[in-house]
Amino acid sequence: MAGVSNGHDGSSFKMPSIKFTKLFINGQFVHSISGKEFETIDPRTEEVITKVAEGAKEDIDVAVKAARVAFDYGPWPRMPGAERGRIMMKWAELIEQHVEEIAALDAINAGKLYHILKGGEIPGAARTIRYYAGAADKIHGEVLKAGREFHAYTLMEPIGVVGLIIPWNFPSIMFVGKVAPALAAGCTIVLKPAEQTPLSALFYAHLAKQAGIPDGVLNVVPGFGSTAGAAICSHMDIDKVSFTGSTEVGREVMRAAANSNLKPVSLELGGKSPLLVFDDADVDTAAQIALLGVIFNKGEICVAGSRVFVQEGIYDEFEKKLVEKAKAWVVGDPFDPKVQQGPQVNKKQFEKILSYIEHGKREGATLLTGGKRIGNKGYYIEPTIFSNVKEDMQVVQDEIFGPVMVLKKFKTIEEAITSANNTKYGLASGIVTKNLDIANTVSRSIRAGIVWINCYFAFGDDIPYGGYKMSGFGRDFGLEALHKYLQVKSVVTPIYNSPWL
């Protein structure tokens, strides 16, 4: 069994006071029109943290109206990009001043590791805002060399009011990853955080107002996907939707966008990412990459390397090392600095993962380690590894979104590439090899939006991120993310009696 720290060392940690639980619309925290609230749960204890205002269609309508006024008449799209950037820089500073408080909110709301949030994700969120703040005054069109007697150029204009729907697994990174480029472009925003993790989003909205982002530019409406989320996707006055979540919901987002005003959509959806380990790899390093690739953030990550293919020459040694490392993995309270894996986000996800594990056993896969709940309080699951899998098994094909890996042996490069691409998804992939020819061949052959060579989870603000196939389309991060919140307008005037075309 994995190492366990289940003393729930939260006793040494002072629980933050929850300051913001209402909707944030037009620069103010307000009650939902219905007056309804929903509970948000601490996955460490299964207890209620607080109640949050439940936004629905009528609240989305109010938020969209505020965002529309702010876009059509307000200063944000009209101020120089450098001024937008200056305000965004101030926002990033305020986030850094509140790192511990925000980290604690995401830890109690999502079961994420406090020390990683404090040292990595929250400072990273501030860096993302700075990256796009620096791009805000560098949005330029082009002068075109027209083929006839015309002077032509393009303008890059903000697309308008954007609806953003973010998931629960990375509440802070997903918030800024969508909000920052949209703000830099000059758009106004209505954002729905995941109902499981609304607390940090509301805190970010509070800091945005303090930084000087004008009222109506950033609106945050917690609520459920079937009501608030659906209202965003079908709203006739929202100009663009960006969604991160499941492939099934992504389909609904597209339908709603098509059936309303044909608003453009960008989708970052599910994944079942392959990691290919070749005979020449250092086995210890490869095993560490493989384990981290599926167990980081308790497997609740779209790009998890949940299908691991290992060449036959090192397979046995690799399997042995991998199982040793998994058994030593420390699962427990996310506020304990020794812990490497916290609880799954909620009961529904916890039960889904356990049901997939049982299904894998019934399908005939060999359970090498893990497979069980840890303790009787909190949503903790052992790191789980299956071997002897067939490619048509559900545990091989379906996104489980938990600490569950399937392990398979291969002989040739061609076989590895075929197995890697044998999925409806195409979000990410990994290769472990010392051979440059293998790295080049395989990286060009895998149908996925990102390929990591001798590393995994190597993200960056300047590295575009998104999927092929049923993992969606459009990119977050990099300048590609900025461009999806911009329209291209061509402006053409005739030229008379010019010596040059």
Side-chain angles (χ1 to χ4, degrees):
M1 189 175 102
V4 181
S5 172
N6 57 6
H8 291 231
D9 283 332
S11 57
S12 62
F13 172 78
K14 188 176 184 301
M15 186 69 71
S17 60
I18 310 299
K19 297 173 182 173
F20 307 110
T21 60
K22 298 177 184 175
L23 316 180
F24 186 80
I25 297 177
N26 206 21
Q28 305 294 324
F29 284 101
V30 296
H31 288 290
S32 60
I33 291 171
S34 69
K36 286 185 181 177
E37 296 178 317
F38 63 94
E39 295 177 342
T40 186
I41 306 294
D42 185 340
R44 304 172 309 149
T45 62
E46 307 180 37
E47 294 169 2
V48 176
I49 302 167
T50 189
K51 291 184 177 179
V52 176
E54 181 185 333
K57 182 181 183 300
E58 58 268 29
D59 303 289
I60 295 295
D61 288 341
V62 175
V64 171
K65 195 169 290 184
R68 174 56 61 195
V69 170
F71 184 78
D72 288 348
Y73 306 106
W76 190 253
R78 291 160 188 82
M79 66 175 63
E83 179 64 12
R84 283 201 300 274
R86 186 192 65 77
I87 294 171
M88 290 174 68
M89 291 283 193
K90 175 66 175 171
W91 188 29
E93 286 175 24
L94 290 170
I95 289 169
E96 287 185 331
Q97 290 170 22
H98 293 84
V99 162
E100 292 187 357
E101 191 167 0
I102 300 168
L105 292 176
D106 278 354
I108 62 170
N109 219 184
K112 295 171 69 69
L113 299 182
Y114 175 74
H115 63 277
I116 287 181
L117 289 162
K118 181 183 172 183
E121 287 186 29
I122 311 306
R127 281 195 304 274
T128 298
I129 292 170
R130 288 197 178 95
Y131 175 83
Y132 288 107
D137 61 353
K138 300 170 185 68
I139 298 170
H140 307 300
E142 296 179 299
V143 176
L144 307 174
K145 180 67 172 169
R148 296 166 57 201
E149 292 177 338
F150 294 106
H151 172 57
Y153 60 92
T154 57
L155 295 172
M156 305 289 280
E157 298 182 345
I159 200 166
V161 177
V162 299
L164 305 176
I165 303 173
I166 63 172
W168 43 259
N169 57 331
F170 285 87
S172 289
I173 289 174
M174 289 293 155
F175 183 97
V176 299
K178 293 189 188 296
V179 168
L183 288 178
C187 296
T188 60
I189 295 163
V190 177
L191 179 140
K192 190 197 87 66
E195 57 267 27
Q196 297 88 346
T197 54
L199 298 179
S200 60
L202 295 169
F203 201 101
Y204 286 127
H206 160 71
L207 296 181
K209 182 175 173 79
Q210 283 194 338
I213 292 177
D215 293 351
V217 171
L218 174 61
N219 305 276
V220 177
V221 184
F224 293 91
S226 59
T227 51
I232 286 173
C233 299
S234 61
H235 207 288
M236 294 297 290
D237 214 17
I238 286 180
D239 302 304
K240 156 88 186 181
V241 168
S242 180
F243 168 80
T244 295
S246 72
T247 299
E248 293 72 26
V249 177
R251 281 197 177 99
E252 297 299 321
V253 171
M254 283 192 75
R255 283 193 195 98
N259 289 336
S260 55
N261 58 349
L262 274 177
K263 61 178 74 65
V265 169
S266 54
L267 303 173
E268 193 262 280
L269 307 174
K272 193 71 175 176
S273 300
L275 176 69
L276 277 54
V277 181
F278 290 88
D279 277 344
D280 66 337
D282 177 85
V283 175
D284 196 67
T285 301
Q288 188 62 31
I289 289 172
L291 188 67
L292 192 66
V294 78
I295 296 183
F296 178 70
N297 202 54
K298 55 272 185 8
E300 294 175 345
I301 181 165
C302 310
V303 294
S306 52
R307 296 182 299 139
V308 178
F309 301 97
V310 184
Q311 203 160 14
E312 59 184 2
I314 60 168
Y315 179 88
D316 290 341
E317 185 187 355
F318 178 92
E319 182 186 283
K320 182 169 176 280
K321 280 193 182 293
L322 184 67
V323 171
E324 285 173 2
K325 290 176 184 291
K327 287 181 175 178
W329 202 251
V330 182
V331 182
D333 190 278
F335 289 101
D336 183 341
K338 298 188 296 295
V339 161
Q340 297 166 290
Q341 179 185 322
Q344 309 307 137
V345 71
N346 65 5
K347 185 177 183 181
K348 180 180 177 183
Q349 188 63 22
F350 172 76
E351 291 177 344
K352 174 190 167 186
I353 296 162
L354 290 175
S355 73
Y356 265 110
I357 291 169
E358 291 307 309
H359 204 83
K361 293 178 191 174
R362 286 198 302 273
E363 286 184 307
T366 301
L367 183 65
L368 293 176
T369 186
K372 297 191 296 295
R373 175 180 194 162
I374 296 178
N376 53 19
K377 188 179 184 185
Y379 305 123
Y380 298 92
I381 295 177
E382 293 175 331
T384 300
I385 303 171
F386 283 108
S387 66
N388 294 320
V389 295
K390 296 184 174 64
E391 294 203 14
D392 60 351
M393 289 180 176
Q394 274 190 282
V395 288
V396 179
Q397 289 297 325
D398 291 2
E399 182 179 40
I400 297 172
F401 225 63
V404 182
M405 175 198 297
V406 297
L407 197 55
K408 195 169 187 291
K409 190 186 299 184
F410 71 87
K411 290 184 179 181
T412 66
I413 294 175
E414 293 73 23
E415 182 188 343
I417 291 167
T418 299
S419 291
N421 287 331
N422 184 18
T423 172
K424 63 186 177 183
Y425 297 115
L427 194 54
S429 57
I431 303 166
V432 187
T433 181
K434 296 173 186 170
N435 186 313
L436 184 60
D437 291 338
I438 291 175
N440 282 337
T441 299
V442 178
S443 61
R444 281 160 174 73
S445 302
I446 292 178
R447 303 276 297 157
I450 192 164
V451 181
W452 288 301
I453 301 173
N454 297 327
C455 59
Y456 212 81
F457 300 135
F459 293 108
D461 294 323
D462 44 7
I463 300 173
Y465 165 69
Y468 283 30
K469 299 191 280 187
M470 288 177 69
S471 289
F473 46 83
R475 295 294 181 263
D476 287 321
F477 300 103
L479 293 180
E480 281 82 356
L482 183 69
H483 293 153
K484 73 184 184 185
Y485 299 110
L486 294 166
Q487 290 275 32
V488 179
K489 176 187 284 182
S490 297
V491 182
V492 186
T493 57
I495 297 174
Y496 301 104
N497 304 317
S498 170
W500 312 108
L501 272 183

